[in-house]
Amino acid sequence: MTTVDHLRQVRLGNLRTVLLALVDRPGSRADLAARTGLTKATLSNLTEPLLANGILVEDAATLAGMGRPSKPLRFHPDGPVAVGAEINVSHLAVETLGLDGETTCRRLVPTDTRTSSQDTVLDQVAELVREITPNRPLLGVGLAVPGVVHDGVLVRAPNLPELVGAPLAEALSARLGLDVELDNEANLAALAHLWPRHLAGEDFVHVSADVGIGAGVVLGGEVYRGASGFAGELGHVVIERNGLSCTCGSRGCVERYAGLDVILREAGRRRLDSLAKALRAGDPKALDAVRNAGEALGVGLATLMNLFDVPTVVLGGSYAVLHEHLSAAAQSEMDTRVLAGGERHTRLVASPLGEFAVVRGAAGLITRRAVLQPERLVG
C-alpha cells in the first residue's frame, strides 16, 4: 500500500467514526472531538466537504454554560435518502429514509404476488419507488424478499415460485438507474431493530408472518445469516413429523399452523384488520384461531430458543397486531419446552415498527452501507 493509499484509508476511517457519532446524535465540533477522540482541526477538515455537499448542516450557534457558543452539526434534513422496497406475498411496500434515521415517505399496497411474473412485480415496485422518490440525492435501493438470497438472486422462495432464479437486484436496478441490494425480508426486519437505533438489545429474534413465517436472528448486535443464508427459516421448522404438507416439500412446518393465511381461514376472516376487530369483540372463533396459532408458534420458537438462547423474541408484522391474543399461548409452550422456560427466560414483545419493519430495514441497509463506506458519500 502506498503512502497516499494509507492516508486515504486513515481519512475514510476517521470519517466513518464521525458519521457513526452523528447517527447516534448531533453534536458540535467540540462535542464530536470528545466523543471520537479526533482533534477539532481534523473534524473541521472532515466535515467541511460534507457541509458543502449538503450531507451535513450546521445549526445556529447556541450558548450552553460558560465558554464560546457551539454550532451543532447534524445530517441535513434535505440530504440524500435511501429507498427501501419490499416484495411480499400479500403486499408491496416502499419507504425513503434519511441518514438521520427519519422516514420521509412510505407506502404499502395490498396485492397478491404469488402468481405474478418477475416483470409484473418489478414494474409495480419501480413505479412505487418513483412515486415516493423526492427531488433529492438517492443513495440506492434495498430490496426485501421472503426467501433465500444469493448474489442478487432469489434462490428459494416456496411462496413466490415465479420469482425464484430471477436476478431481481439487477432487473430493478435497470428499471431505476440505481444500485439495488437484495436481502431476505426477515433479516432486514431484524436489521431495522438494530440500525440506526437498538430497539431490542444485542441478542434477539425478530419473527413476523404473512403466508410464510420468517425469523431474523441477531447475536452480538449482528444479524446471523448462517453459512448459506438459510438461518432463521422458522416457518419451515417441523413441529409435527407427519403433519400437513407444506409448499417447501416437507410436512408439519410451523407456517402450516401459524401463518397468517391459516389464522384468517380458521377465524373465518379475509383481512387482518377484520380479524383484529373480531378479537376485540371477543369472537370465539377468532380467539381460538389465534390461540392455536400461538401454540404452534411457541413450539417452533422453543426450538430456536434452545439453539440460540436469546433473551427476547420480537413479534413483528401481523404478529405485532395479534400480540395481545397470541403471546400468552406462545409463551406457555415456550415455558414448557425451553430449557430455561421455568424462569421465563425469554420475553415476547411486540415490535414498535409493526408492518413497516421490513421496508425500513431495507432502506436502513443502504444508509448503514453509506455510513460504513463513506467513500460512497464523498467519492
Side-chain angles (χ1 to χ4, degrees):
M1 180 183 293
T2 66
T3 301
V4 172
D5 290 336
H6 175 70
L7 291 175
R8 174 176 169 77
Q9 291 302 313
V10 170
R11 179 179 176 82
L12 288 174
N14 288 339
L15 186 54
R16 185 183 307 115
T17 299
V18 173
L19 291 171
L20 285 169
L22 288 170
V23 167
D24 184 51
R25 65 180 186 276
S28 66
R29 288 176 176 80
D31 174 58
L32 289 170
R35 287 157 54 193
T36 64
L38 300 172
T39 67
K40 284 191 283 186
T42 297
L43 281 162
S44 292
N45 183 262
L46 292 169
T47 56
E48 287 307 321
L50 299 177
L51 288 164
N53 291 326
I55 295 168
L56 299 183
V57 65
E58 189 172 48
D59 289 336
T62 58
L63 184 61
M66 302 293 291
R68 298 173 59 186
S70 63
K71 297 180 178 180
L73 294 171
R74 59 186 173 92
F75 289 109
H76 201 299
D78 296 322
V81 296
V83 180
E86 177 189 3
I87 300 172
N88 208 304
V89 175
S90 63
H91 68 262
L92 301 174
V94 288
E95 177 171 321
T96 50
L97 188 71
L99 289 167
D100 57 0
E102 293 297 316
T103 297
T104 56
C105 189
R106 61 169 46 146
R107 281 197 64 191
L108 188 147
V109 180
T111 184
D112 190 335
T113 61
R114 278 174 282 197
T115 59
S116 298
S117 68
Q118 170 196 340
D119 286 339
T120 298
V121 172
L122 291 180
D123 285 346
Q124 290 176 304
V125 171
E127 183 58 31
L128 285 173
V129 170
R130 294 187 190 102
E131 288 178 7
I132 70 161
T133 301
N135 186 24
R136 53 202 284 191
L138 299 176
L139 298 168
V141 180
L143 178 60
V145 289
V148 179
V149 170
H150 182 70
D151 287 341
V153 176
L154 182 61
V155 298
R156 184 171 176 81
N159 296 310
L160 291 177
E162 295 299 317
L163 301 187
V164 173
L168 298 177
E170 179 183 339
L172 185 60
S173 177
R175 284 167 168 79
L176 295 172
L178 296 167
D179 289 338
V180 177
E181 191 164 341
L182 185 71
D183 205 343
N184 169 265
E185 50 93 20
N187 289 338
L188 292 176
L191 178 64
H193 294 75
L194 287 172
W195 178 269
R197 306 284 181 270
H198 281 215
L199 304 179
E202 296 256 319
D203 301 279
F204 64 91
V205 172
H206 178 278
V207 181
S208 59
D210 199 282
V211 173
I213 299 173
V217 181
V218 174
L219 303 174
E222 294 291 337
V223 177
Y224 177 73
R225 300 172 183 275
S228 303
F230 280 84
E233 286 292 329
L234 175 63
H236 300 291
V237 169
V238 174
I239 60 173
E240 187 174 348
R241 185 177 172 219
N242 294 310
L244 298 172
S245 297
C246 183
T247 54
C248 73
S250 186
R251 304 182 69 90
C253 296
V254 174
E255 72 174 43
R256 295 295 289 114
Y257 303 89
L260 179 58
D261 61 337
V262 176
I263 300 173
L264 291 174
R265 184 175 65 247
E266 295 299 317
R269 302 286 164 169
R270 298 182 63 182
R271 300 188 313 274
L272 180 60
D273 58 351
S274 174
L275 173 61
K277 183 177 180 180
L279 291 170
R280 289 193 295 271
D283 180 81
K285 193 173 182 179
L287 291 169
D288 284 346
V290 174
R291 183 180 64 252
N292 291 338
E295 290 174 353
L297 178 63
V299 175
L301 285 173
T303 298
L304 285 189
M305 296 307 101
N306 283 328
L307 288 171
F308 294 112
D309 187 30
V310 297
T312 304
V313 173
V314 180
L315 298 178
S318 60
Y319 284 161
V321 176
L322 303 175
H323 173 266
E324 179 182 351
H325 299 91
L326 181 90
S327 58
Q331 185 74 65
S332 178
E333 290 292 335
M334 292 170 66
D335 287 346
T336 300
R337 299 171 186 274
V338 177
L339 292 180
E343 304 168 11
R344 298 188 75 86
H345 176 69
T346 304
R347 63 191 183 112
L348 293 174
V349 299
S351 168
L353 303 178
E355 61 187 350
F356 285 100
V358 172
V359 73
R360 181 176 173 83
L365 182 70
I366 304 303
T367 59
R368 184 172 183 264
R369 184 183 68 177
V371 169
L372 297 179
Q373 301 173 20
E375 60 271 23
R376 293 176 178 273
L377 293 174
V378 297

